Amino acid sequence: MLTEAQFKRGLTAGAASLALIGIFVTLPTASLLLAVPGTGTGAGAIFDAYTLEILRFTLLQAILSTLLSVGLAVPVAISLARRPRFVSRTVILRLMAVPMGLPALIGALGLIGIFGRQGLVNDALAALGLQQPISLYGLGGILLAHVFFNLPLAARLLLTAIERLPAEYWRLSASLGMSPWSVLRFIEAPALLRVIPGVASLVFMLCATSFTLVLVLGGGPAATTLEVAIYQALRFDFDPPRAVSLALLQILLTGLILCLLFWLAPKASTGASEGRAIRRFDAQGRAAVIVDATVIALATLFLVLPLLSILVAGLRADLARLLTLPEVWQAGKTSLSIAVTAAFLSLGLASGIILSRSVVQTRRRPSRALGAFSALLAVLSSLVLLVPPVVLGTGWFLLLRPVVNLTAAAPFLIAAINALMALPFVMRVLEPAVEAHLARTRRLSASLAIHGWSRFRRVDWPILKRPIFMALSFAMALSLGDLGAVALFGSHDLVTLPWLIYSRLGSYRTHDADGLALILGIVCLILTLLGTAGNKDDRP
């Protein structure tokens, strides 16, 4: 089907992506490993009391955040599953997708507006005679922020597990006269238990590698995670040996979590259905309706209030003045140039991986070497999960500092790190679309002898342009909201919008921070809407 030249070009594209990603991840990791013997501290620095305390807090906040996020997501998912046709269900499901695309810094500002010292909740409690009973900073604030970002993700994944159950289950439960408790015990609970370990390990991974939320809401040394401690060791203490030790510990921790993720990955549902529409006969009593409505309303309120706080606080800021400030425009240009570069770099890397894997699949019996190459490409996009952005930045910081001007190299490093951050999302958007398109068109294009640019222009582009735009918009939104990479390399000469917001927040210019957060949030929202334009799939 493919000519030998086309087959080789496909493999070359994958090899180029493999080489670029491998070099970019391997070099800083090797620099961290080589730096350990020269520190004079070695393993002692990794396992001293301070580091162990940071590791303890990292695990503690991740475990508690996971328990709260997944535990609270279970009733939300069950209530949404039992009410498949209520008004505004689609709006709520779309609303639950907002925290996943919202920059963490903006979400933190929204939570401060509701639960902070001058927030809505404390004002209400103060009116009742209680003086500032809630403090958002420290472990409590970190847990609250992680629940805000991860509860919607967990709820959507759990809801999917329930809705994958065949419609016949609900008809059979109704014919047997099963009570809501029996339905929960014998139908919903087994479906949820199959996916909860995988969902919980995913949420645990996100919380254990959280950076921005801990940086903003952490309460000093007593509430610091490994990633934030790495940043503090380089930016504040300039203690490279400490940063190296912490970075190696972070890689070890994320490696163990990735193994756990792989082991606990949810199995695909094998339930057979007759294809009938789902109709829930259980939970039709008044008490069940009240419980479900209360759970859904509370979850919606928990998500909406911080978003409204961002909107209101941003509108109260002097947006006209902010939009005339040269530093705001300069930060916007820097953020946009880095985001565009990162998005196209991520798209290029993903295209090479997908094209190479697709040509290997055209061989009926690929050799072991080709099979291993394809498997290696499949895990390539997940390398950033093993080596988080702050660790990558630390390695490049130590590697380049003696030989080049870091200020000049910083924009390229930040763009490359952001591209790797976006790669798993770009792959998830592009790979299924490309595989389905090639399966439908490969034979016909070969029979018509349409190849190269002509094939791309006539056959591929009309079908793949939508997933390509979606992947680019998601990658740009992720890069625009990133604070992790720029936190290491940011300076007076390199300021992005998130770094400008964080700087304004640190200098107590909160009105400016609120206004800039609104501007950045609108830009990210527009990118997300552009990327999903025409997508009518409202399923979770």
Side-chain angles (χ1 to χ4, degrees):
M1 189 183 306
L2 291 178
T3 64
E4 194 61 27
Q6 290 173 327
F7 186 79
K8 288 182 178 178
R9 280 200 296 271
L11 292 184
T12 302
S17 295
L18 177 63
L20 287 174
I21 297 174
I23 290 172
F24 192 79
V25 174
T26 302
L27 285 181
T29 306
S31 74
L32 293 174
L33 292 172
L34 292 175
V36 172
T39 63
T41 53
I46 297 179
F47 297 108
D48 64 12
Y50 173 73
T51 306
L52 289 178
E53 175 59 24
I54 293 174
L55 177 62
R56 185 196 69 82
F57 182 80
T58 301
L59 295 175
L60 175 66
Q61 63 84 20
I63 291 172
L64 293 177
S65 298
T66 303
L67 290 175
L68 288 172
S69 299
V70 179
L72 294 174
V74 170
V76 176
I78 291 176
S79 296
L80 285 170
R82 290 199 299 199
R83 309 293 162 193
R85 293 184 179 84
F86 76 92
V87 179
S88 304
R89 187 178 191 270
T90 300
V91 175
I92 292 175
L93 288 177
R94 288 183 174 178
L95 179 67
M96 294 174 78
V98 172
M100 289 185 275
L102 189 72
L105 181 58
I106 299 178
L109 287 176
L111 291 170
I112 290 173
I114 299 299
F115 300 98
R117 183 181 297 273
Q118 304 298 327
L120 186 65
V121 173
N122 272 338
D123 286 347
L125 293 176
L128 296 176
L130 300 175
Q131 297 299 320
Q132 300 175 359
I134 294 179
S135 174
L136 190 62
Y137 298 96
L139 178 61
I142 294 171
L143 296 181
L144 187 69
H146 283 163
V147 172
F148 173 76
F149 278 96
N150 295 311
L151 185 151
L153 170 65
R156 287 170 66 93
L157 293 173
L158 297 178
L159 177 60
T160 301
I162 297 176
E163 294 193 335
R164 278 179 180 164
L165 292 172
E168 292 74 27
Y169 279 31
W170 314 115
R171 293 173 58 86
L172 181 61
S173 66
S175 65
L176 295 175
M178 295 174 67
S179 66
W181 169 249
S182 297
V183 170
L184 174 63
R185 180 182 176 187
F186 295 108
I187 300 179
E188 292 173 322
L192 291 175
L193 289 175
R194 280 196 293 271
V195 298
I196 279 179
V199 174
S201 56
L202 174 62
V203 173
F204 183 83
M205 177 73 167
L206 295 174
C207 297
T209 57
S210 175
F211 175 78
T212 302
L213 294 176
V214 180
L215 181 66
V216 175
L217 301 175
T224 298
T225 58
L226 285 171
E227 293 219 13
V228 174
I230 294 169
Y231 162 73
Q232 291 170 338
L234 281 180
R235 289 296 299 234
F236 297 145
D237 304 330
F238 197 68
D239 187 355
R242 171 72 61 188
V244 169
S245 302
L246 295 169
L248 293 177
L249 195 57
Q250 178 74 56
I251 292 175
L252 179 63
L253 177 63
T254 50
L256 291 174
I257 299 173
L258 278 178
C259 292
L260 191 67
L261 267 172
F262 179 78
W263 183 49
L264 296 176
K267 305 295 185 297
S269 174
T270 55
S273 171
E274 295 178 6
R276 293 172 180 167
I278 292 177
R279 184 181 176 189
R280 297 292 298 264
F281 298 93
D282 59 309
Q284 292 183 348
R286 180 176 297 178
V289 172
I290 292 174
V291 169
D292 289 344
T294 303
V295 169
I296 294 172
L298 289 176
T300 305
L301 203 61
F302 179 64
L303 295 177
V304 166
L305 283 179
L307 300 178
L308 286 178
S309 172
I310 296 166
L311 178 63
V312 172
L315 292 177
R316 284 178 180 171
D318 191 351
L319 292 178
R321 181 183 62 82
L322 287 175
L323 290 174
T324 61
L325 295 177
E327 58 264 35
V328 173
W329 283 100
Q330 185 58 43
K333 291 178 184 175
T334 303
S335 291
L336 191 61
S337 60
I338 290 175
V340 171
T341 305
F344 278 96
L345 180 58
S346 187
L347 180 68
L349 293 171
S351 300
I353 294 171
I354 295 169
L355 180 62
S356 188
R357 282 173 51 81
S358 71
V359 299
V360 172
Q361 290 172 0
T362 59
R363 296 292 173 94
R364 290 186 177 180
R365 294 180 180 177
S367 64
R368 288 186 178 181
L370 282 177
F373 181 63
S374 179
L376 182 60
L377 289 175
V379 301
L380 194 59
S381 62
S382 300
L383 272 181
V384 70
L385 299 178
L386 177 62
V387 189
V390 171
V391 177
L392 273 179
T394 303
W396 279 109
F397 181 91
L398 298 174
L399 190 66
L400 296 180
R401 184 169 57 95
V403 292
V404 302
N405 182 359
L406 276 179
T407 301
F412 304 101
L413 291 174
I414 295 172
I417 291 173
N418 287 349
L420 279 185
M421 282 173 47
L423 189 57
F425 300 93
V426 173
M427 287 287 296
R428 181 164 183 172
V429 171
L430 272 186
E431 193 167 31
V434 172
E435 286 181 352
H437 172 68
L438 291 178
R440 287 195 298 266
T441 61
R442 181 171 279 147
R443 288 180 179 276
L444 181 61
S445 299
S447 64
L448 296 176
I450 303 177
H451 304 295
W453 173 249
S454 178
R455 175 193 161 94
F456 178 78
R457 184 170 61 86
R458 296 172 182 272
V459 180
D460 298 333
W461 177 249
I463 302 299
L464 296 179
K465 62 182 179 183
R466 179 170 293 172
I468 287 174
F469 281 135
M470 182 185 295
L472 284 174
S473 64
F474 282 174
M476 285 183 64
L478 279 174
S479 179
L480 280 173
D482 173 62
L483 182 63
V486 77
L488 282 175
F489 298 104
S491 65
H492 293 297
D493 298 324
L494 180 66
V495 177
T496 62
L497 277 177
W499 185 248
L500 189 60
I501 295 171
Y502 182 68
S503 301
R504 292 288 196 269
L505 197 62
S507 57
Y508 300 103
R509 296 167 68 179
T510 53
H511 288 299
D512 284 2
D514 291 334
L516 293 172
L518 180 61
I519 294 171
L520 179 59
I522 290 174
V523 173
C524 291
L525 181 62
I526 290 174
L527 284 172
T528 304
L529 292 177
L530 288 176
T532 57
N535 184 7
K536 298 180 180 178
D537 185 10
D538 296 325
R539 307 286 291 179

